Structures are given as C-alpha cells and as structure tokens.
Amino acid sequence: MAQARRRRRAERPRGGGAAIPRLPWRKLRNPLPPIEVLSADQVEAIHEASLQVLARAGMKVTDDEARALLRSAGAEVDEAEQMVRFDPGLVEESVAKAPAEFTIRARNPAKNATIGGNHVNFAPVGGPSFVSDLDRGRRAGTLAELADFMKLVQCFDVISVAGVSPFEPLDLPPQTRHLDTYEAVLRWTDKVWSTWLLGAGRARDGIAMAAIVHGLTPEQVAAQPLTYGNINTNSPRLIDGPMAQGAMTFARARQPVIVTPFTLAGAMAPATVAGALVEQNAEALAGITLVQVASPGAPVIYGGFTSNVDMKTGAPAFGTPEQTQAAQATGQLCRRYGLPYRSSNTNASNCADAQAAYESEMSLWGAVMGHANLIFHSAGWLEGGLTASFEKLIIDVEMLQMLSEYLQPVVVDEDTLAVEAIAGVPPAGHYFGEAHTLARYETAFYSPLVSDWRNFETWSEDGGRDAAQRANAIWKQLLKDYEPPPLDPAVDEELTAYVAKRKEAIGTSDDAVDR
Amino acid sequence: MAQARRRRRAERPRGGGAAIPRLPWRKLRNPLPPIEVLSADQVEAIHEASLQVLARAGMKVTDDEARALLRSAGAEVDEAEQMVRFDPGLVEESVAKAPAEFTIRARNPAKNATIGGNHVNFAPVGGPSFVSDLDRGRRAGTLAELADFMKLVQCFDVISVAGVSPFEPLDLPPQTRHLDTYEAVLRWTDKVWSTWLLGAGRARDGIAMAAIVHGLTPEQVAAQPLTYGNINTNSPRLIDGPMAQGAMTFARARQPVIVTPFTLAGAMAPATVAGALVEQNAEALAGITLVQVASPGAPVIYGGFTSNVDMKTGAPAFGTPEQTQAAQATGQLCRRYGLPYRSSNTNASNCADAQAAYESEMSLWGAVMGHANLIFHSAGWLEGGLTASFEKLIIDVEMLQMLSEYLQPVVVDEDTLAVEAIAGVPPAGHYFGEAHTLARYETAFYSPLVSDWRNFETWSEDGGRDAAQRANAIWKQLLKDYEPPPLDPAVDEELTAYVAKRKEAIGTSDDAVDR
C-alpha cells in the first residue's frame, strides 16, 4: 500500500513543464465521513419547508413546453401567471427516480469521471467575462486566451474535469461562440467537459460534438453520459425558457443536468442560512423534478451555491463562514435525496492575495468535507466570479493538490510505524541519513507547486517574490512546454466541419441557434 | 437562540478602533464531531508502538532530579547514558492521573479559559526572534514592539489566550527579559497568559507574578491554574535540564504544563506520518509521565507539532497535507488518553501572501477539526516561526473569526426557515427591502475585518490594496486607539517592585535566574 502510494507520486504527467512538480492522475475519493452541520431533524425541517414553498408559492416557469410537461405530471399550473405549484408527492417521486451515481466518459478513457458517492472531481472556473494576469491586468476574454487557459487545465491532473468556458470569448459573436468554445475544450484537453445549457440549440451542439469525439451517432449518445451541463434558476423562484429548454434537451439525451439555484442569502434568498437553504432546496428540487418528468431516470446533480451578500452594500460575498455551513448542509440534503452534489470554490477578492486564498480554503473545506462530487470554479476564480485569473489558477491547483494529498489514507503498518528506525537514531540526533528516510525521501511528502519553503535570506536574494508572482512564472513555463493530447485526425476534421456547418446555419441570428 | 446570536454579534469590544468590526468575546466550542483520519486500530497501533519505543529505546533525560524521580516511580534508568526506559504500565498509570479538562483563571474573570472537551482557545504566535511589518521590514524584536503586539492581541477577543512572547525582546539581557515580558503581557492584556518553562527560576517568576495579579500567596496558587507553560522535547528522544526543571516546578505548583515534541517528519522524526506520530506520542507520554510523577494529577496538555521537512533541502514545511493529517490524528490520541490537546496555526511563507493564508488554513482546519483545545501561533506567525508579522496577525484574526463563526450552530426554526418571507417575494424579485431581511440586516452575517468585497473598479480606484496592505492600516489604527485594560494600582506597583527586585538579584548571571 505504501509502495503503491510512492509509485503514484513518483509519476510525472507527460507533456509540458516536466520540471514543475504536479500530482499525477488520481480518481479522488474522500474516505472521511462528511462534516454535518445540521441535525437529522434540521435536515427534515429544511426539506419540509422547501416542499411547502413549492406547494404553496410555487415556481414561475416561463417555458410553455416545460409547464405543459409539469402539468401532465400532476403539477398545478397557473398559465396566466406562468406559475407551477408542485405537489410534495410529485417532487419526492421524481427525485427518487434520479440515479445516485454515474460515470461521464472522457475522450481519454483513463479520465472518465464518476459523479456520486464519495468521489471528488475538480472543475476549473467557468463563466466570467474577464480574464486577468499580472502582466496584462484585467481585460475582456478572447478565444486565444481561452485556449491558453484550457491548456493549463490540461496540464494539471488534479483538475479532473475540464469544464467549458473559464471565461467568455468576447471577441466572438454570441450566437456561435459556444461552438468555438466546445472545439477548444475538446482540442486542448482530453477530460470530461461541459456543454452550455442556454437553450436547446447549444445543448444539441454539445451532444453532437460529443458524439463526434466518441465516434457515436447522436442516437447512441443516450447510452452513457459524455458531457454535462449546468442550469441556474433565476433565484428566487424562476426557471426561464433557455434554461428549461437546455435542461429538457439534455435530459432526453440522458446527459447529466446540474440544477444550481443562485441563492445569495440577503439578496436572492432570506438573510438566514436556514432560509437560504430552503430557497435553494425548493428551486433545486423543482428543476430536478422538471428533468425527471422530461426523462425519468436521467442523471441529475444537485447544485448548491448558497453564500451571502454584504448586508451593508449588497455586494456578493464568497468563502464566508455562512457559505461553508451551507455547503456542508447541502451535502446532507443531497445524501437525504440520494443525489450527486455539485459545489464551488469561490472568493470575492480582487487579486490573488491572502484574502483570495483564505476565502477559497473556506469554500473548499465546505465543499470537500460536505462531500461534493463535482466542485466548480476549483481553479482560477477571482472577483466573485467576474474574472478568471491565470495566477489564481495556479494557486488554486496548489490548494487542490494539498487537499487531494490530505484525502489519501494515512498508511499505518510496521514499515511506516518505524519503531526500529526510531530506536536507531540517538537522542537529539536526526533522521536525514537513516535508511528508513533514504528509502522514501523522494516521495515521502507532498512536493509543492507554488509554496516557497526557502529561508527568508535566500528568498529575498532571489527577488522576494510572493505566491502570485511565482504563479505567474509557473503558468508561463507550462504554456511554453505544453503539448496537446493526441486527437484522431478524422475526428479533428469532423469537429472542424461541424463547427463550420453550424456557424453557417446560425450566422448572426439569435433564433437560428435553437432551430 | 437566533435572538441571542444576533445580540452577541451586535456587541463591539470596548477600547480601540471602534470602527473596525470585530467579534465580541465568546467562549468558543466546537460542536461538530472531530475529523478522524485514523481508524481505532490505527490509533492503537501508534499507541503500542510508542510504548515499545519508550520501553526499549527510552528517552535521554539530562536532569538528575528528573531521572531520580522517574527511577523511584519504577522507570529503568541508565545513569551513565542518562537514559530512562519506561515500563508501559508506568506510562499508562501516569497518563490516567491527568485531568481531562480544567480552567485557567485570567485577571479578567470573564476571560477565564477552559482547556479540554470541545473548547477551542486561540493563542498568538510565540517564540520568534524577528518581528516584521510592511513599513519597517524584518528586524530583531524589542520590548517596545512586543508591547505593541500585545496591545493588538488584547484588541481581538477571538484571541482568547494572550500567550507570552510573540517574539523575543532582543534589546534586553537574556537573563531577565522574561520578567519584562511577563510584565508586558500582564499590563497590556487581561487574558490568560503563559510562563516560560526554561528552568525553574523563570517558572517560579511566572507563578509569583500570577500570584500578585490574583492577590494570592504563592502557596495559594496551587488551588487553581493561573497561567500555563510549554516545554518542547529536544526531538528525537531528549528532555533537557531546563525543560525538566521548568515542567517539574510548574507541576508542583499545579500549573498546566504542555509537553510538545518537536517532530518534523524526515528530520527529527521518521519520514512517514505514522512514524512521526509514534515519535511524537512516545515523547509526549514521557514528558507527561514526568509531570505526573512529580505531582500526580497536575494539569497537563498534550502538544502536537508534527509537520514535515522538504526532503530535497531539509527546510521545515508547515501547513502541509501531512501536518493536517497529523493534527487530526493527534486529536484522536489525546481523546484516547483523555488529555487536553494543544496544536498550532503555522505556515512557511516569507510574506503575508496567498501561501501564508492557505498553509495557515490547512493548519487551522487540522487543529480545529482535530478538536485542539489550545491553538498556539494562531495569529502572527510567519517564516516557519522565525518572524512575528503585524500584518499576518490581522489576517490570521480574520481567519480565526471566520472559523469561530463557522462553529456557531446553524439556527433552524420557523423564523429562520422563512417560508412566509420566501412566499412573499415574487419570482426573480429580491429580498433587500423585505421585513425578514430588515429585521436582521445588521447582524445576519459575519462582517469581515480585512476582506474587501467591493467591486474591482471601486477597489482599484481606492488604491488596489491587497489584504496585507489593508491589514497594515488596520493594526496601525487599532494601536492608535488602544486603551489598556484596568489594572489595580496596588497590583501594578507590586508587579513593578517584583520585577525590579528580581532583576537586581539576577543581574547578568545565568545561574542566578534559577536560584
């Protein structure tokens, strides 16, 4: 066991930056029991309150097809108000149909991702409009920089899932930029990737391109998840047309849909952790019910994103104590329902400083010890999600790698207990030259990526660079040395042709995307 | 319950920097079950291996009186080698005599500290030779700056225990600087404080000055702990004379002794987590046995300080994944023995950057979720403990406050579940103006000390200062506004007289300190 661990650690990823230490690929599990901040009774109270909200107040659903589906399943629908009220039985039956665990195939089969149980998957930041680094500052995202960001995502095996758009490529037309983004993630990474669920068209394009990569017909896709997508409810209590269409399209293709209410306590949810969890839970269950009604048994993931705002200014806050509590409480709700759980690594800092790190750690301990299975925004998120930072990406990878190592079981056996070694070292001696030490000195402990453990004098003489400055040098070196994962030329050609064909069909028409 | 929580949060500490938000005094407990990284069998295996080490290899004890005591208690002593071998029965019987929990009196009775159970106490950094801040850089410590540091410790109620010497006042002679340091901590703080256990004299001076502050005769002191002290074994396997004398003096005065092996895996302990824990556990049990033999039933605290070194360079590393595991495993050992537990908040960064924060968070989650009762170095530690940083002090306080808030139980009742409030906000509306929100907007969530949640533009226009720069402004403001806690003039006079008298007696003689 100790031998196996050492071997794993000694491997180095192929491709760029060989001199930069990184953890090798690992199907990460959390062997520790989750931290539970709620009692079983409190979980039930939140569950019951959510059902009350869904039954009495309901959700507004602005998509006609979704409302019709829900009505036919037994929900009470007010067409004039577009309000859907859910019978508790419908919700509980629907949620019970969803699988507790499933595996999403990656184009590199070694990197398939299992979602559920005690599996932990880290996905990079997604969604910002801006990108930043120490050299060029903060600016609008472009496709070229998105490709660079994706290449870095590929460089780190601890980022087990590639996501899709670490930031928006704002240099491209909005109607077709999803195609370029999908192509970039499929070309520069070989990991599980995500599709945009903003309308049926973008969802179908994701499915079609996944089918190309795996050499399947779109019909065959339904046999196994090949990608995943996330919808956010427009909290409070609204599921809009594009989100509903995206979710239903994915559900029918049996691709996993994450339903994530955007419940910042004090703004889009009550100013209490319990109340925000009720709001989140009601909206998540409504979205999951829609998915199950559209396609019973389709894979879904419960998304928790409850944090709070600064009550004095309304500014969003992340990595707060309340977010940590909510993340662990959400894990309890997910386990109650037997659903996989998505959480996030967030912070509200404007630069990659101590605040960015401690808020991220509070998020990560909330998510990881809440037993989240898929952790969005794990690497690169800054400014409350408005910016993707190249330096924060590197610093986050260090934090993720440290957590991944922390989750490796402590090996306790005769060899590691080292009684003979201890007896052999004289009082006030040292272990540096001991056989027990030399046998494992290369792989005994985690080797850091960014952390600088040199003494103050050496560090000062070498420029006294802080973690962000060191991270800057690391991502540049990795990009310089990057080598793309192999892609079958026939698949490459087919992908390119698909994107070209769809771009021609869509043009600059908003409507054509979904036709 | 919710009302009580709000009231607590609304309080502001009296004294300096009224505009700077801080958590009020709180007797912090960790209501969550500890994280346990070891199985019960693994705990037993480490325990058994430690007993083997103590029985076969033993500890070198260079103090004659300590060896004599241990021999009379049944240990096997080799006087030529100064080696003491411990029978497992002696160790187990001795450890069983120590109390599981006790309270240390502060000069402000509201700030008494309970050590044991699920109590959590944060003490500031202790021990460095250097002090640093952004304005003046890194320099040798002085008494004047030590006083400033202590004043800041007093400003933050989350630092529930004052410690003693955040750094050494190197401007003072080594033989008497402990007296000035004790006087400073007693004058500038009203919290539980620590005594140096470097020899019997410094321990006796601490007891004498505690007696003065509490208006007791030195003989009456034994009725209740009034201070505490820490000894480090000289790992591996050595208890030196000054430490033994300090520990025995304190034990006989029934003041709590912390026994902390200095077990950096790969240097002073084997290069495995399990082996380093065996080394730590053997040495801690040896020290605790000495204390119990000297004074059965005297309060002791098990100190865990296992981290690792960088195996390539031998440099100490802190806040590593291995340290987090060791901290939580140590909690398991302490609970097995029914002993209170001391851990640390550490990092190896050379500046108050992201590394300093994420390594500290890894330490803190290890300590807090390992159910440490007293966490040394909680605020201000930098450079692997070589420097006390004014900015890191502030950043650490933010992290401590966030953890303190995280540990407050989530309140789930009709009021916080907020079903009516949720039903009253229209879909895609917001909660800002709602009665439920307004009723709690001032106290709903944690108010940060250092975190800046303003948007990028506002933050940039205001100078774009990172967390360390903002921390710099905070400690200066707090020092400007600082007001000392009231001290009875008669006590003040008596303290001053004691210090003067002892300084005269000691002069610059190393021997006179202990006479």
Side-chain angles (χ1 to χ4, degrees):
Chain A
M1 200 163 162
Q3 287 291 341
R5 190 179 187 189
R6 282 208 297 279
R7 244 195 328 275
R8 278 207 312 282
R9 291 197 191 182
E11 287 165 22
R12 285 288 174 265
R14 279 167 295 183
I20 294 170
R22 280 160 281 168
L23 286 189
W25 181 267
R26 173 183 280 168
K27 211 169 163 74
L28 184 62
R29 285 165 175 262
N30 182 351
L32 303 168
I35 295 181
E36 306 211 316
V37 296
L38 302 177
S39 68
D41 285 351
Q42 289 178 322
V43 171
E44 283 312 295
I46 289 167
H47 165 70
E48 291 295 339
S50 317
L51 291 185
Q52 271 186 51
V53 166
L54 287 177
R56 287 171 41 200
M59 293 284 288
K60 185 168 184 174
V61 180
T62 56
D63 183 77
D64 295 344
E65 188 187 357
R67 280 199 312 284
L69 268 178
L70 289 166
R71 184 173 46 230
S72 71
E76 181 193 322
V77 177
D78 177 338
E79 277 296 327
E81 301 280 343
Q82 301 185 313
M83 288 301 296
V84 180
R85 292 183 177 80
F86 296 76
D87 178 71
L90 169 63
V91 174
E92 301 213 59
E93 279 161 33
S94 300
V95 167
K97 288 176 186 156
E101 184 174 312
F102 49 83
T103 295
I104 310 177
R105 281 175 63 187
R107 81 171 168 89
N108 177 345
K111 298 186 180 175
N112 292 349
T114 302
I115 312 291
N118 67 358
H119 291 273
V120 185
N121 291 280
F122 294 117
V125 57
S129 298
F130 298 100
V131 60
S132 77
D133 64 62
L134 289 185
D135 304 309
R136 290 166 290 180
R138 181 195 201 238
R139 61 223 181 250
T142 65
L143 182 65
E145 296 203 74
L146 185 149
D148 281 349
F149 209 94
M150 279 296 164
K151 291 173 186 175
L152 293 170
V153 165
Q154 176 68 9
C155 284
F156 293 109
D157 282 338
V158 78
I159 305 178
S160 56
V161 161
V164 61
S165 47
F167 43 88
E168 290 265 329
L170 292 174
D171 54 337
L172 300 180
Q175 297 83 1
T176 56
R177 68 168 71 125
H178 66 286
L179 295 162
D180 303 281
T181 304
Y182 297 169
E183 194 183 353
V185 67
L186 286 167
R187 187 175 303 286
W188 306 121
T189 86
D190 60 1
K191 303 179 182 184
V192 164
W193 66 292
S194 173
T195 288
W196 293 3
L197 299 190
L198 189 69
R202 292 181 178 88
R204 282 196 302 263
D205 283 332
I207 294 164
M209 291 171 77
I212 291 169
V213 165
H214 289 276
L216 302 172
T217 63
E219 292 68 37
Q220 291 171 326
V221 166
Q224 196 171 2
L226 301 176
T227 176
Y228 66 93
N230 181 81
I231 66 164
N232 291 108
T233 51
N234 295 21
S235 304
R237 293 196 294 121
L238 171 65
I239 297 176
D240 70 18
M243 287 292 167
Q245 283 293 324
M248 292 187 296
T249 303
F250 244 43
R252 286 166 182 146
R254 312 294 279 186
Q255 300 302 301
V257 176
I258 308 169
V259 181
T260 311
F262 194 70
T263 39
L264 293 183
M268 303 83 132
T272 57
V273 170
L277 286 169
V278 171
E279 178 87 50
Q280 168 193 292
N281 200 53
E283 297 182 12
L285 295 183
I288 289 166
T289 298
L290 172 61
V291 168
Q292 294 303 316
V293 164
S295 181
V300 291
I301 302 172
Y302 182 124
F305 196 79
T306 295
S307 187
N308 56 283
V309 296
D310 180 339
M311 294 303 286
K312 287 188 284 297
T313 64
F318 293 103
T320 64
E322 293 81 9
Q323 180 184 324
T324 308
Q325 290 179 331
Q328 293 171 348
T330 299
Q332 294 184 256
L333 291 162
C334 290
R335 288 189 294 282
R336 187 208 179 281
Y337 301 125
L339 292 172
Y341 170 27
R342 174 232 137 159
S343 187
S344 302
N345 169 14
T346 58
N347 72 92
S349 185
N350 289 301
C351 60
D353 64 349
Q355 178 188 340
Y358 64 68
E359 289 182 341
S360 270
E361 286 281 351
M362 287 295 285
S363 289
L364 282 168
W365 279 89
V368 169
M369 290 314 297
H371 274 209
N373 306 114
L374 179 54
I375 302 178
F376 271 34
H377 313 306
S378 284
W381 158 301
L382 214 57
E383 287 179 39
L386 295 179
T387 292
S389 155
F390 278 88
E391 286 81 23
K392 183 65 164 35
L393 167 71
I394 302 298
I395 291 169
D396 279 327
V397 164
E398 181 88 296
M399 292 192 263
L400 301 182
Q401 291 194 146
M402 288 168 76
L403 281 167
S404 178
E405 283 293 277
Y406 163 70
L407 294 177
Q408 301 310 302
V410 178
V411 179
V412 179
D413 57 23
E414 200 180 322
D415 186 41
T416 61
L417 287 167
V419 171
E420 294 306 323
I422 293 172
V425 174
H430 63 75
Y431 284 76
F432 288 123
E434 293 299 306
H436 189 270
T437 309
L438 293 174
R440 65 197 77 227
Y441 90 96
E442 278 197 64
T443 54
F445 306 122
Y446 173 64
S447 286
L449 174 68
V450 182
S451 294
D452 192 327
W453 293 340
R454 295 176 299 173
N455 66 33
F456 183 83
E457 290 74 12
T458 311
W459 171 80
S460 297
E461 279 161 23
D462 194 29
R465 294 176 310 150
D466 68 15
Q469 291 169 315
R470 298 192 302 269
N472 179 269
I474 291 168
W475 68 256
K476 287 182 197 167
Q477 183 63 46
L478 286 169
L479 274 188
K480 213 173 124 195
D481 298 344
Y482 171 84
E483 289 169 25
L487 182 65
D488 183 329
V491 168
D492 192 334
E493 203 175 305
E494 207 179 336
L495 275 178
T496 307
Y498 182 86
V499 168
K501 184 188 77 183
R502 280 288 288 156
K503 280 188 175 176
E504 199 179 308
I506 296 169
T508 56
S509 158
D510 287 333
D511 292 343
V513 183
D514 289 323
R515 267 201 301 269
Chain B
M1 201 162 163
Q3 287 290 342
R5 189 180 187 188
R6 282 206 298 280
R7 246 197 325 277
R8 278 205 313 280
R9 290 198 191 181
E11 287 166 22
R12 287 287 173 269
R14 278 166 296 179
I20 294 171
R22 280 160 282 168
L23 285 189
W25 180 265
R26 174 183 281 166
K27 211 170 163 73
L28 185 63
R29 285 166 175 262
N30 182 352
L32 303 168
I35 295 180
E36 307 210 317
V37 296
L38 301 177
S39 69
D41 285 351
Q42 290 177 323
V43 171
E44 283 312 297
I46 289 167
H47 165 70
E48 291 294 340
S50 318
L51 291 185
Q52 271 186 52
V53 167
L54 288 177
R56 286 172 40 201
M59 293 283 288
K60 185 169 186 175
V61 180
T62 55
D63 184 78
D64 296 343
E65 187 187 357
R67 279 199 313 283
L69 266 179
L70 289 166
R71 184 175 44 229
S72 70
E76 181 193 323
V77 176
D78 176 338
E79 278 295 326
E81 301 280 341
Q82 301 185 313
M83 288 300 296
V84 180
R85 292 184 176 79
F86 296 76
D87 177 72
L90 169 63
V91 174
E92 301 212 60
E93 279 160 35
S94 300
V95 167
K97 288 175 187 157
E101 184 175 311
F102 49 84
T103 295
I104 310 176
R105 281 174 65 186
R107 81 171 168 90
N108 177 346
K111 298 186 180 175
N112 292 349
T114 302
I115 311 291
N118 67 0
H119 291 273
V120 186
N121 291 281
F122 295 117
V125 57
S129 298
F130 299 100
V131 60
S132 77
D133 65 61
L134 290 185
D135 304 309
R136 290 166 290 179
R138 181 195 202 239
R139 62 227 180 246
T142 64
L143 181 65
E145 296 202 74
L146 184 150
D148 281 349
F149 209 93
M150 278 297 163
K151 291 173 186 175
L152 292 170
V153 164
Q154 175 68 7
C155 285
F156 293 109
D157 281 338
V158 78
I159 305 177
S160 56
V161 162
V164 62
S165 48
F167 44 88
E168 290 265 329
L170 293 175
D171 54 336
L172 301 180
Q175 297 84 358
T176 55
R177 68 169 71 126
H178 66 284
L179 295 162
D180 304 279
T181 304
Y182 297 170
E183 194 183 352
V185 66
L186 287 167
R187 186 175 303 286
W188 307 120
T189 84
D190 61 1
K191 303 179 182 184
V192 164
W193 66 291
S194 173
T195 287
W196 293 3
L197 299 190
L198 189 70
R202 292 182 178 87
R204 280 196 303 262
D205 283 332
I207 294 165
M209 290 171 77
I212 292 170
V213 165
H214 291 275
L216 302 172
T217 64
E219 292 66 37
Q220 290 171 325
V221 166
Q224 195 172 3
L226 302 176
T227 177
Y228 65 94
N230 181 82
I231 66 164
N232 291 108
T233 52
N234 295 22
S235 304
R237 294 195 294 121
L238 172 64
I239 297 177
D240 69 18
M243 287 291 167
Q245 282 293 324
M248 291 186 295
T249 304
F250 244 42
R252 288 166 181 147
R254 313 293 280 184
Q255 300 302 301
V257 177
I258 308 170
V259 181
T260 312
F262 195 69
T263 40
L264 294 183
M268 303 83 130
T272 57
V273 171
L277 287 169
V278 171
E279 178 87 50
Q280 168 193 292
N281 200 54
E283 298 182 12
L285 295 183
I288 290 166
T289 298
L290 172 61
V291 168
Q292 295 302 318
V293 164
S295 182
V300 291
I301 302 173
Y302 183 125
F305 197 78
T306 295
S307 187
N308 57 284
V309 296
D310 181 340
M311 294 302 286
K312 287 187 285 298
T313 64
F318 293 103
T320 64
E322 292 81 8
Q323 181 184 325
T324 309
Q325 290 179 331
Q328 293 171 349
T330 300
Q332 295 183 255
L333 290 163
C334 290
R335 289 189 294 282
R336 187 208 179 282
Y337 301 125
L339 292 172
Y341 171 27
R342 173 231 139 159
S343 187
S344 302
N345 168 15
T346 58
N347 72 91
S349 185
N350 289 302
C351 61
D353 63 349
Q355 178 188 340
Y358 64 67
E359 289 182 340
S360 270
E361 286 281 353
M362 288 294 285
S363 289
L364 282 169
W365 279 88
V368 169
M369 291 313 297
H371 273 208
N373 305 115
L374 178 55
I375 302 177
F376 271 33
H377 312 306
S378 285
W381 159 301
L382 213 58
E383 288 178 37
L386 295 180
T387 292
S389 155
F390 279 89
E391 285 81 23
K392 181 65 166 31
L393 167 71
I394 302 297
I395 291 170
D396 278 327
V397 164
E398 180 87 295
M399 292 193 263
L400 301 183
Q401 291 194 145
M402 289 168 76
L403 281 167
S404 178
E405 283 293 276
Y406 163 70
L407 294 178
Q408 301 310 301
V410 179
V411 179
V412 179
D413 58 21
E414 199 180 322
D415 185 41
T416 62
L417 287 167
V419 171
E420 295 306 322
I422 293 172
V425 174
H430 63 74
Y431 284 75
F432 288 123
E434 294 299 307
H436 188 270
T437 309
L438 293 175
R440 65 196 77 226
Y441 92 96
E442 277 197 66
T443 53
F445 307 122
Y446 173 64
S447 285
L449 173 68
V450 183
S451 294
D452 192 327
W453 293 340
R454 294 175 300 173
N455 67 32
F456 183 83
E457 291 74 12
T458 310
W459 172 81
S460 297
E461 281 161 22
D462 194 29
R465 294 176 309 151
D466 68 15
Q469 292 169 314
R470 298 192 303 270
N472 179 269
I474 290 168
W475 68 257
K476 288 183 197 166
Q477 182 63 46
L478 287 169
L479 275 189
K480 213 173 123 195
D481 298 344
Y482 172 83
E483 290 169 24
L487 181 66
D488 183 330
V491 168
D492 192 334
E493 204 175 305
E494 207 179 335
L495 276 178
T496 307
Y498 182 87
V499 168
K501 185 189 76 182
R502 280 288 289 156
K503 280 187 177 176
E504 200 179 306
I506 296 169
T508 55
S509 157
D510 287 333
D511 292 341
V513 183
D514 291 321
R515 269 201 299 268

